Amino acid sequence: MSYSDKDGRAHLEQNVVVQSAEQRMRAPILDLYFTHNAQAAPNGGNNANAPAGAQQISRAAGAGGVTVEQSSRKATAERGEYQAATGKFVMSGGNPRFMTV
């Protein structure tokens, strides 16, 4: 793993798994992009537990064969990208596949 605070980016290699309560993303290579939380969210918003100045993942980009699992759904492709602002994954390259498990 390498990390650049200046760029707000972490680069991870070798069987990377990133997981939240709702989804899991696996890839041989994964870049995480961070944004700084200027202040904690008021009234229990999404970032209510994050202290002011904390970093949050804004985007995750995987390559080399990406698998995303969410509930009973699973997607695979050569590349996969997650955008936190929209909560969506975009799978591309190779033969992207989507299935329910």
XYZ file of all heavy atoms in Angstrom:
745
model
N 0.841 -1.178 0.000
C 0.000 0.000 0.000
C 0.879 1.232 0.000
O 1.883 1.293 0.703
C -0.892 0.015 1.244
C -1.797 1.235 1.258
S -2.794 1.354 2.734
C -2.069 2.808 3.446
N 0.495 2.205 -0.799
C 1.134 3.519 -0.740
C 0.028 4.558 -0.569
O -1.093 4.365 -1.028
C 1.954 3.801 -2.001
O 1.130 3.824 -3.143
N 0.363 5.637 0.123
C -0.631 6.659 0.427
C -0.023 8.035 0.211
O 1.114 8.292 0.599
C -1.099 6.530 1.877
C -2.024 7.649 2.291
C -3.335 7.695 1.836
C -1.563 8.679 3.102
C -4.175 8.726 2.194
C -2.405 9.718 3.463
C -3.702 9.736 3.015
O -4.528 10.761 3.359
N -0.794 8.924 -0.416
C -0.381 10.303 -0.623
C -1.449 11.213 -0.034
O -2.555 11.308 -0.579
C -0.201 10.606 -2.112
O -0.022 11.997 -2.305
N -1.130 11.862 1.082
C -2.074 12.796 1.696
C -2.316 13.987 0.776
O -3.433 14.473 0.657
C -1.557 13.250 3.055
C -2.601 14.033 3.833
O -3.761 13.571 3.880
O -2.261 15.087 4.390
N -1.251 14.417 0.100
C -1.360 15.551 -0.827
C -2.383 15.275 -1.930
O -3.200 16.127 -2.268
C 0.012 15.839 -1.447
C -0.003 16.920 -2.496
C 1.358 17.060 -3.147
C 1.226 17.819 -4.440
N 2.375 17.659 -5.305
N -2.359 14.047 -2.472
C -3.276 13.670 -3.551
C -4.592 13.095 -3.020
O -5.529 12.869 -3.791
C -2.628 12.631 -4.459
C -1.397 13.175 -5.163
O -1.323 14.402 -5.385
O -0.506 12.360 -5.482
N -4.644 12.791 -1.732
C -5.836 12.173 -1.165
C -6.102 10.815 -1.774
O -7.230 10.461 -2.084
N -5.021 10.008 -1.938
C -5.142 8.738 -2.652
C -4.337 7.647 -1.958
O -3.209 7.860 -1.547
C -4.619 8.912 -4.066
C -4.645 7.667 -4.906
C -4.145 7.988 -6.320
N -3.777 6.795 -7.017
C -2.529 6.404 -7.234
N -1.513 7.126 -6.838
N -2.289 5.295 -7.883
N -4.942 6.471 -1.878
C -4.242 5.271 -1.400
C -4.245 4.264 -2.539
O -5.273 4.056 -3.196
C -4.939 4.692 -0.186
N -3.095 3.662 -2.799
C -2.954 2.657 -3.852
C -2.668 1.321 -3.165
O -1.700 1.206 -2.423
C -1.805 3.040 -4.801
C -1.571 2.028 -5.874
N -2.364 1.960 -6.992
C -0.642 1.048 -5.990
C -1.919 0.975 -7.770
N -0.886 0.412 -7.172
N -3.526 0.332 -3.414
C -3.383 -0.978 -2.786
C -3.250 -2.046 -3.852
O -3.884 -1.960 -4.908
C -4.609 -1.280 -1.917
C -4.875 -0.265 -0.816
C -5.985 0.677 -1.240
C -5.227 -0.951 0.466
N -2.429 -3.066 -3.571
C -2.233 -4.171 -4.505
C -2.263 -5.499 -3.768
O -2.011 -5.543 -2.568
C -0.892 -4.027 -5.228
C -0.833 -2.831 -6.157
C 0.449 -2.781 -6.978
O 1.196 -3.766 -7.001
O 0.688 -1.736 -7.590
N -2.560 -6.554 -4.498
C -2.560 -7.943 -4.055
C -3.789 -8.294 -3.221
O -3.818 -8.098 -2.011
C -1.287 -8.309 -3.292
C -0.055 -8.229 -4.139
C 1.177 -8.723 -3.406
O 1.202 -8.852 -2.198
N 2.229 -8.989 -4.171
N -4.780 -8.811 -3.892
C -5.986 -9.335 -3.246
C -6.643 -8.331 -2.310
O -6.858 -8.597 -1.133
C -5.651 -10.626 -2.489
C -5.085 -11.676 -3.409
O -5.561 -11.861 -4.523
N -4.052 -12.352 -2.968
N -6.977 -7.180 -2.824
C -7.560 -6.096 -2.030
C -9.059 -6.332 -1.841
O -9.762 -6.682 -2.785
C -7.339 -4.731 -2.725
C -7.913 -3.607 -1.885
C -5.855 -4.511 -2.993
N -9.532 -6.126 -0.620
C -10.956 -6.210 -0.310
C -11.338 -4.950 0.453
O -10.725 -4.626 1.467
C -11.294 -7.447 0.553
C -12.777 -7.465 0.895
C -10.878 -8.720 -0.146
N -12.328 -4.226 -0.063
C -12.872 -3.055 0.619
C -14.322 -3.383 0.916
O -15.063 -3.815 0.032
C -12.765 -1.791 -0.264
C -13.396 -0.595 0.419
C -11.317 -1.510 -0.608
N -14.739 -3.180 2.158
C -16.070 -3.616 2.557
C -16.754 -2.575 3.416
O -16.136 -1.942 4.260
C -15.943 -4.932 3.334
C -17.250 -5.532 3.724
C -17.068 -6.936 4.269
O -16.168 -7.655 3.872
N -17.931 -7.324 5.167
N -18.054 -2.424 3.185
C -18.912 -1.621 4.050
C -20.020 -2.550 4.550
O -20.024 -3.739 4.240
C -19.506 -0.437 3.283
O -20.493 -0.889 2.387
N -20.964 -2.010 5.266
C -22.063 -2.831 5.778
C -22.911 -3.412 4.647
O -23.469 -4.498 4.780
C -22.939 -2.006 6.711
N -23.005 -2.702 3.509
C -23.885 -3.127 2.419
C -23.193 -3.774 1.227
O -23.836 -4.427 0.425
C -24.687 -1.925 1.883
C -25.642 -1.318 2.877
C -24.967 -0.266 3.748
O -23.996 0.351 3.295
O -25.394 -0.100 4.897
N -21.894 -3.547 1.056
C -21.245 -4.033 -0.158
C -19.784 -4.383 0.071
O -19.176 -3.946 1.031
C -21.369 -2.998 -1.269
C -20.786 -1.671 -0.919
C -21.693 -0.515 -1.246
O -22.802 -0.684 -1.690
N -21.225 0.682 -1.009
N -19.262 -5.169 -0.878
C -17.863 -5.585 -0.840
C -17.300 -5.472 -2.252
O -17.945 -5.860 -3.220
C -17.770 -7.025 -0.361
C -16.356 -7.561 -0.352
C -16.299 -9.007 0.072
N -16.941 -9.139 1.368
C -17.454 -10.265 1.825
N -17.426 -11.358 1.104
N -18.023 -10.312 3.009
N -16.087 -4.934 -2.361
C -15.405 -4.798 -3.649
C -14.050 -5.479 -3.526
O -13.289 -5.193 -2.603
C -15.238 -3.310 -3.989
C -14.636 -3.020 -5.323
S -14.631 -1.213 -5.602
C -14.141 -1.133 -7.294
N -13.748 -6.391 -4.475
C -12.475 -7.111 -4.485
C -11.764 -6.831 -5.808
O -12.408 -6.810 -6.853
C -12.693 -8.613 -4.394
C -13.392 -9.082 -3.164
C -13.713 -10.575 -3.296
N -14.549 -11.023 -2.231
C -14.128 -11.746 -1.205
N -12.869 -12.107 -1.142
N -14.962 -12.106 -0.262
N -10.443 -6.677 -5.724
C -9.653 -6.445 -6.939
C -8.176 -6.690 -6.648
O -7.734 -6.507 -5.521
C -9.845 -5.021 -7.445
N -7.401 -7.052 -7.666
C -5.960 -7.172 -7.478
C -5.293 -5.810 -7.236
O -4.317 -5.710 -6.515
C -5.462 -7.776 -8.788
C -6.652 -8.412 -9.409
C -7.825 -7.585 -8.972
N -5.844 -4.767 -7.844
C -5.313 -3.402 -7.697
C -6.493 -2.479 -7.422
O -7.510 -2.535 -8.125
C -4.591 -2.949 -8.978
C -3.412 -3.872 -9.278
C -4.128 -1.502 -8.851
C -2.801 -3.656 -10.646
N -6.342 -1.615 -6.421
C -7.432 -0.720 -6.066
C -6.879 0.624 -5.612
O -5.942 0.668 -4.809
C -8.279 -1.327 -4.948
C -9.570 -0.620 -4.610
C -10.595 -0.826 -5.717
C -10.122 -1.137 -3.303
N -7.430 1.688 -6.154
C -7.089 3.042 -5.726
C -8.283 3.627 -4.990
O -9.412 3.577 -5.489
C -6.740 3.938 -6.923
C -5.404 3.570 -7.546
O -4.454 3.298 -6.787
O -5.314 3.551 -8.780
N -8.037 4.155 -3.805
C -9.062 4.828 -3.018
C -8.771 6.313 -3.031
O -7.632 6.727 -2.799
C -9.061 4.319 -1.575
C -9.348 2.839 -1.382
C -9.183 2.462 0.081
C -10.737 2.489 -1.882
N -9.782 7.114 -3.292
C -9.652 8.570 -3.329
C -10.451 9.144 -2.163
O -11.581 8.737 -1.929
C -10.148 9.115 -4.663
C -9.340 8.597 -5.822
C -9.659 7.388 -6.433
C -8.233 9.296 -6.287
C -8.892 6.894 -7.484
C -7.470 8.807 -7.334
C -7.810 7.607 -7.926
O -7.047 7.125 -8.967
N -9.858 10.081 -1.452
C -10.457 10.618 -0.236
C -10.784 12.096 -0.362
O -10.121 12.831 -1.091
C -9.493 10.448 0.947
C -9.159 9.021 1.243
C -8.057 8.413 0.670
C -9.950 8.275 2.098
C -7.740 7.096 0.941
C -9.645 6.954 2.374
C -8.541 6.365 1.800
N -11.797 12.504 0.391
C -12.099 13.923 0.566
C -12.057 14.195 2.056
O -12.266 13.294 2.874
C -13.498 14.287 0.029
O -14.466 13.485 0.698
C -13.596 14.093 -1.463
N -11.769 15.423 2.409
C -11.744 15.815 3.813
C -13.122 16.271 4.242
O -13.807 16.972 3.506
C -10.737 16.958 4.041
C -9.324 16.505 3.932
N -8.679 15.883 4.959
C -8.433 16.572 2.920
C -7.442 15.580 4.582
N -7.278 15.995 3.343
N -13.533 15.883 5.414
C -14.802 16.310 5.992
C -14.533 17.617 6.717
O -13.877 17.639 7.749
C -15.325 15.235 6.957
C -16.665 15.573 7.536
O -17.383 16.413 7.006
N -17.011 14.921 8.620
N -15.031 18.721 6.188
C -14.765 20.034 6.776
C -15.332 20.141 8.177
O -14.738 20.740 9.059
C -15.341 21.139 5.891
N -16.502 19.561 8.393
C -17.099 19.562 9.731
C -18.028 18.375 9.859
O -18.511 17.853 8.874
C -17.853 20.849 10.004
C -19.000 21.097 9.041
C -19.672 22.435 9.316
O -19.261 23.162 10.206
N -20.693 22.731 8.574
N -18.261 17.951 11.072
C -19.161 16.827 11.290
C -20.567 17.227 10.861
O -20.983 18.373 11.021
C -19.146 16.425 12.764
N -21.312 16.287 10.313
C -22.671 16.571 9.834
C -23.606 16.819 11.005
O -23.586 16.094 11.991
C -23.176 15.401 8.996
N -24.456 17.842 10.919
C -25.397 18.120 12.001
C -26.583 17.166 11.988
O -26.915 16.581 10.972
C -25.851 19.554 11.701
C -25.709 19.676 10.217
C -24.518 18.809 9.847
N -27.231 17.022 13.121
C -28.496 16.291 13.243
C -28.453 14.867 12.697
O -29.368 14.421 12.030
C -29.627 17.057 12.552
C -29.776 18.442 13.116
O -29.606 18.636 14.324
N -30.055 19.407 12.265
N -27.345 14.164 12.915
C -27.293 12.748 12.544
C -27.196 12.475 11.072
O -27.627 11.433 10.622
N -26.621 13.387 10.281
C -26.453 13.152 8.852
C -25.498 11.998 8.601
O -25.001 11.363 9.526
N -25.207 11.720 7.335
C -24.359 10.589 6.973
C -23.002 10.612 7.653
O -22.418 9.574 7.881
C -24.156 10.542 5.450
C -25.417 10.132 4.740
O -26.303 9.552 5.341
N -25.513 10.453 3.473
N -22.482 11.769 7.937
C -21.146 11.874 8.491
C -21.166 12.317 9.947
O -20.194 12.862 10.443
C -20.317 12.853 7.654
C -20.302 12.446 6.198
O -20.216 11.273 5.893
N -20.412 13.408 5.301
N -22.249 12.081 10.637
C -22.404 12.574 12.003
C -21.340 12.039 12.947
O -20.946 12.718 13.878
C -23.791 12.210 12.530
N -20.842 10.843 12.701
C -19.843 10.253 13.579
C -18.420 10.560 13.149
O -17.484 10.199 13.832
C -20.044 8.738 13.669
C -21.376 8.397 14.301
O -21.830 9.091 15.206
N -22.002 7.341 13.839
N -18.253 11.198 12.017
C -16.911 11.532 11.530
C -16.477 12.860 12.126
O -17.186 13.848 12.030
C -16.909 11.621 10.006
N -15.311 12.882 12.753
C -14.837 14.144 13.316
C -14.477 15.134 12.218
O -14.174 14.748 11.084
C -13.597 13.726 14.104
C -13.173 12.423 13.524
C -14.408 11.767 12.970
N -14.539 16.418 12.554
C -14.160 17.452 11.594
C -12.741 17.173 11.118
O -11.871 16.815 11.900
C -14.260 18.822 12.237
N -12.502 17.318 9.819
C -11.187 17.085 9.236
C -10.925 15.635 8.874
O -9.905 15.322 8.290
N -11.844 14.719 9.208
C -11.663 13.301 8.879
C -11.744 13.101 7.374
O -12.413 13.851 6.673
C -12.730 12.460 9.570
N -11.062 12.066 6.889
C -11.120 11.751 5.470
C -12.172 10.684 5.224
O -12.352 9.787 6.034
C -9.766 11.270 4.980
C -8.730 12.357 4.977
C -7.463 11.914 4.278
O -7.331 10.776 3.859
N -6.535 12.822 4.152
N -12.847 10.807 4.079
C -13.852 9.834 3.679
C -13.577 9.403 2.253
O -13.092 10.191 1.441
C -15.239 10.457 3.753
C -15.597 10.906 5.129
C -16.934 11.623 5.149
O -17.498 11.947 4.112
N -17.443 11.863 6.330
N -13.910 8.159 1.937
C -13.735 7.672 0.573
C -14.761 8.331 -0.331
O -15.952 8.286 -0.064
C -13.865 6.147 0.511
C -12.730 5.494 1.302
C -13.874 5.667 -0.937
C -12.853 3.997 1.418
N -14.275 8.976 -1.385
C -15.176 9.582 -2.361
C -15.296 8.724 -3.620
O -16.298 8.784 -4.323
C -14.694 10.981 -2.749
O -13.421 10.915 -3.350
N -14.243 7.911 -3.868
C -14.234 7.088 -5.079
C -13.303 5.911 -4.859
O -12.287 6.033 -4.184
C -13.752 7.928 -6.251
C -13.779 7.239 -7.582
C -13.493 8.217 -8.702
N -12.101 8.561 -8.816
C -11.319 8.223 -9.852
N -11.804 7.534 -10.846
N -10.073 8.595 -9.879
N -13.638 4.777 -5.427
C -12.772 3.593 -5.418
C -12.699 3.069 -6.841
O -13.733 2.903 -7.494
C -13.330 2.529 -4.487
N -11.493 2.838 -7.341
C -11.311 2.354 -8.709
C -10.429 1.113 -8.684
O -9.288 1.169 -8.237
C -10.678 3.443 -9.577
N -10.987 -0.006 -9.152
C -10.263 -1.268 -9.164
C -9.955 -1.714 -10.583
O -10.658 -1.358 -11.521
N -8.897 -2.535 -10.716
C -8.504 -3.051 -12.029
C -7.918 -4.446 -11.872
O -7.487 -4.836 -10.794
C -7.480 -2.124 -12.675
N -7.908 -5.173 -12.990
C -7.292 -6.487 -13.007
C -8.246 -7.626 -12.712
O -7.821 -8.736 -12.431
N -9.540 -7.357 -12.765
C -10.558 -8.354 -12.453
C -11.250 -7.976 -11.158
O -10.793 -8.313 -10.076
N -12.330 -7.237 -11.266
C -13.028 -6.673 -10.107
C -14.330 -7.439 -9.862
O -15.054 -7.760 -10.802
C -13.343 -5.179 -10.341
C -14.105 -4.594 -9.171
C -12.054 -4.398 -10.582
N -14.600 -7.715 -8.600
C -15.864 -8.332 -8.190
C -16.525 -7.421 -7.174
O -15.877 -6.975 -6.222
C -15.629 -9.715 -7.556
O -14.997 -10.563 -8.506
C -16.943 -10.349 -7.119
N -17.801 -7.148 -7.376
C -18.589 -6.354 -6.438
C -19.752 -7.208 -5.976
O -20.448 -7.819 -6.798
C -19.109 -5.056 -7.089
C -20.085 -4.340 -6.176
C -17.956 -4.147 -7.457
N -19.962 -7.268 -4.666
C -21.083 -8.004 -4.098
C -21.915 -7.043 -3.264
O -21.365 -6.270 -2.481
C -20.593 -9.141 -3.220
C -19.804 -10.176 -3.983
C -19.183 -11.205 -3.065
O -19.947 -11.913 -2.389
O -17.943 -11.266 -3.018
N -23.223 -7.087 -3.483
C -24.154 -6.221 -2.767
C -25.441 -7.004 -2.559
O -26.119 -7.346 -3.528
C -24.399 -4.945 -3.567
C -25.198 -3.897 -2.853
C -25.318 -2.634 -3.702
O -25.500 -2.705 -4.909
N -25.206 -1.495 -3.058
N -25.766 -7.307 -1.305
C -26.925 -8.151 -0.976
C -26.831 -9.456 -1.747
O -25.825 -10.139 -1.655
C -28.236 -7.434 -1.278
O -28.326 -6.249 -0.549
N -27.820 -9.776 -2.552
C -27.809 -11.022 -3.326
C -27.336 -10.799 -4.757
O -27.476 -11.670 -5.601
C -29.213 -11.633 -3.341
O -30.106 -10.751 -3.987
N -26.739 -9.627 -5.014
C -26.258 -9.313 -6.362
C -24.734 -9.380 -6.417
O -24.054 -9.055 -5.449
C -26.724 -7.930 -6.789
C -28.234 -7.822 -6.828
C -28.685 -6.452 -7.177
N -28.352 -5.552 -6.070
C -28.709 -4.289 -6.012
N -29.384 -3.752 -6.997
N -28.403 -3.544 -4.976
N -24.234 -9.766 -7.582
C -22.791 -9.864 -7.787
C -22.476 -9.416 -9.212
O -23.183 -9.784 -10.147
C -22.334 -11.305 -7.572
C -20.858 -11.532 -7.734
C -20.527 -12.978 -7.418
C -19.061 -13.265 -7.572
N -18.753 -14.665 -7.247
N -21.423 -8.618 -9.368
C -20.993 -8.165 -10.695
C -19.492 -8.382 -10.820
O -18.749 -8.224 -9.846
C -21.325 -6.694 -10.891
N -19.053 -8.738 -12.018
C -17.631 -8.906 -12.300
C -17.293 -8.212 -13.615
O -18.121 -8.151 -14.524
C -17.238 -10.394 -12.402
O -17.981 -10.995 -13.464
C -17.501 -11.134 -11.101
N -16.082 -7.678 -13.684
C -15.582 -7.039 -14.912
C -14.083 -6.813 -14.751
O -13.523 -6.991 -13.664
C -16.290 -5.714 -15.168
N -13.437 -6.400 -15.812
C -12.002 -6.091 -15.760
C -11.741 -4.889 -14.858
O -10.777 -4.858 -14.097
C -11.468 -5.827 -17.171
C -9.992 -5.503 -17.223
C -9.096 -6.619 -16.694
O -9.486 -7.798 -16.710
O -7.986 -6.298 -16.245
N -12.629 -3.887 -14.935
C -12.487 -2.680 -14.111
C -13.808 -2.382 -13.410
O -14.876 -2.666 -13.926
C -12.101 -1.483 -14.988
C -10.704 -1.574 -15.576
C -10.383 -0.406 -16.504
N -11.305 -0.282 -17.638
C -11.257 -1.024 -18.734
N -10.363 -1.962 -18.857
N -12.128 -0.829 -19.714
N -13.697 -1.755 -12.258
C -14.889 -1.350 -11.527
C -14.619 -0.056 -10.789
O -13.511 0.164 -10.293
N -15.614 0.805 -10.763
C -15.459 2.091 -10.073
C -16.695 2.379 -9.236
O -17.813 2.175 -9.679
C -15.239 3.214 -11.082
C -14.962 4.538 -10.411
C -14.542 5.616 -11.381
O -13.799 5.310 -12.332
O -14.964 6.752 -11.184
N -16.454 2.850 -8.015
C -17.522 3.235 -7.108
C -17.450 4.733 -6.869
O -16.368 5.261 -6.583
C -17.383 2.485 -5.781
C -18.324 2.990 -4.716
C -19.685 2.704 -4.775
C -17.860 3.758 -3.662
C -20.557 3.165 -3.798
C -18.729 4.222 -2.677
C -20.070 3.924 -2.756
O -20.925 4.383 -1.804
N -18.576 5.425 -7.010
C -18.675 6.857 -6.729
C -19.552 7.033 -5.491
O -20.745 6.723 -5.521
C -19.310 7.600 -7.911
C -18.456 7.635 -9.150
C -17.300 8.621 -9.010
O -17.325 9.538 -8.207
N -16.267 8.401 -9.799
N -18.962 7.516 -4.398
C -19.706 7.667 -3.149
C -20.845 8.684 -3.274
O -21.899 8.509 -2.667
C -18.760 8.081 -2.027
N -20.657 9.729 -4.062
C -21.681 10.770 -4.199
C -23.001 10.204 -4.718
O -24.076 10.634 -4.305
C -21.188 11.885 -5.118
N -22.920 9.225 -5.611
C -24.129 8.631 -6.180
C -24.439 7.258 -5.590
O -25.541 6.753 -5.776
C -23.996 8.479 -7.709
O -22.889 7.608 -7.987
C -23.791 9.828 -8.385
N -23.450 6.656 -4.932
C -23.627 5.316 -4.380
C -23.691 4.240 -5.452
O -24.210 3.161 -5.229
N -23.135 4.524 -6.633
C -23.226 3.595 -7.755
C -21.871 3.016 -8.132
O -20.841 3.662 -7.988
C -23.809 4.299 -8.977
C -25.248 4.701 -8.789
C -25.804 5.322 -10.036
C -27.256 5.732 -9.802
N -27.820 6.357 -10.993
N -21.923 1.784 -8.668
C -20.764 1.117 -9.233
C -20.889 1.133 -10.747
O -21.982 0.955 -11.281
C -20.702 -0.347 -8.786
C -20.301 -0.525 -7.360
C -21.255 -0.603 -6.364
C -18.965 -0.627 -7.012
C -20.898 -0.783 -5.049
C -18.594 -0.802 -5.696
C -19.553 -0.882 -4.706
N -19.778 1.295 -11.439
C -19.734 1.176 -12.892
C -18.702 0.102 -13.204
O -17.540 0.219 -12.815
C -19.343 2.505 -13.574
C -19.195 2.310 -15.081
C -20.364 3.587 -13.269
N -19.137 -0.948 -13.883
C -18.270 -2.058 -14.242
C -18.000 -1.990 -15.735
O -18.922 -1.761 -16.529
C -18.942 -3.383 -13.881
C -19.440 -3.477 -12.445
S -18.142 -3.363 -11.210
C -17.442 -5.003 -11.322
N -16.725 -2.195 -16.139
C -16.374 -2.107 -17.555
C -15.188 -3.000 -17.875
O -14.459 -3.417 -16.989
C -16.062 -0.653 -17.936
O -14.932 -0.185 -17.216
N -14.997 -3.243 -19.146
C -13.864 -4.017 -19.625
C -14.101 -5.515 -19.532
O -14.863 -6.002 -18.699
N -13.446 -6.248 -20.436
C -13.632 -7.692 -20.472
C -15.068 -8.006 -20.838
O -15.649 -7.400 -21.731
N -15.656 -8.928 -20.142
C -17.065 -9.288 -20.319
C -17.799 -9.031 -19.015
O -17.962 -9.962 -18.212
C -17.207 -10.770 -20.714
C -16.699 -11.051 -22.096
O -16.931 -10.269 -23.003
N -15.993 -12.162 -22.260
N -18.233 -7.807 -18.772
C -18.930 -7.523 -17.512
C -20.139 -8.453 -17.343
O -20.860 -8.715 -18.293
C -19.384 -6.073 -17.663
C -18.428 -5.476 -18.648
C -18.115 -6.597 -19.599
N -20.297 -8.949 -16.113
C -21.394 -9.862 -15.817
C -22.106 -9.395 -14.553
O -21.484 -8.914 -13.626
C -20.878 -11.275 -15.587
C -20.273 -11.888 -16.831
C -19.809 -13.291 -16.589
N -20.940 -14.082 -16.068
C -20.796 -15.281 -15.543
N -19.619 -15.844 -15.455
N -21.845 -15.942 -15.078
N -23.398 -9.568 -14.539
C -24.225 -9.242 -13.383
C -25.095 -10.461 -13.097
O -25.695 -11.019 -13.994
C -25.104 -8.011 -13.683
C -26.048 -7.686 -12.572
C -25.613 -6.994 -11.450
C -27.366 -8.079 -12.635
C -26.479 -6.702 -10.423
C -28.251 -7.776 -11.607
C -27.798 -7.088 -10.488
N -25.155 -10.851 -11.835
C -25.961 -12.016 -11.483
C -26.518 -11.886 -10.081
O -26.038 -11.081 -9.287
C -25.120 -13.294 -11.603
C -23.934 -13.314 -10.643
S -22.558 -14.320 -11.209
C -21.665 -13.119 -12.163
N -27.547 -12.627 -9.801
C -28.070 -12.727 -8.440
C -27.618 -14.062 -7.879
O -27.559 -15.057 -8.602
C -29.605 -12.610 -8.395
O -30.161 -13.598 -9.253
C -30.055 -11.238 -8.830
N -27.260 -14.046 -6.618
C -26.747 -15.267 -5.984
C -27.639 -15.705 -4.859
O -28.414 -14.986 -4.334
C -25.304 -15.085 -5.475
C -24.353 -14.992 -6.630
C -25.171 -13.886 -4.588
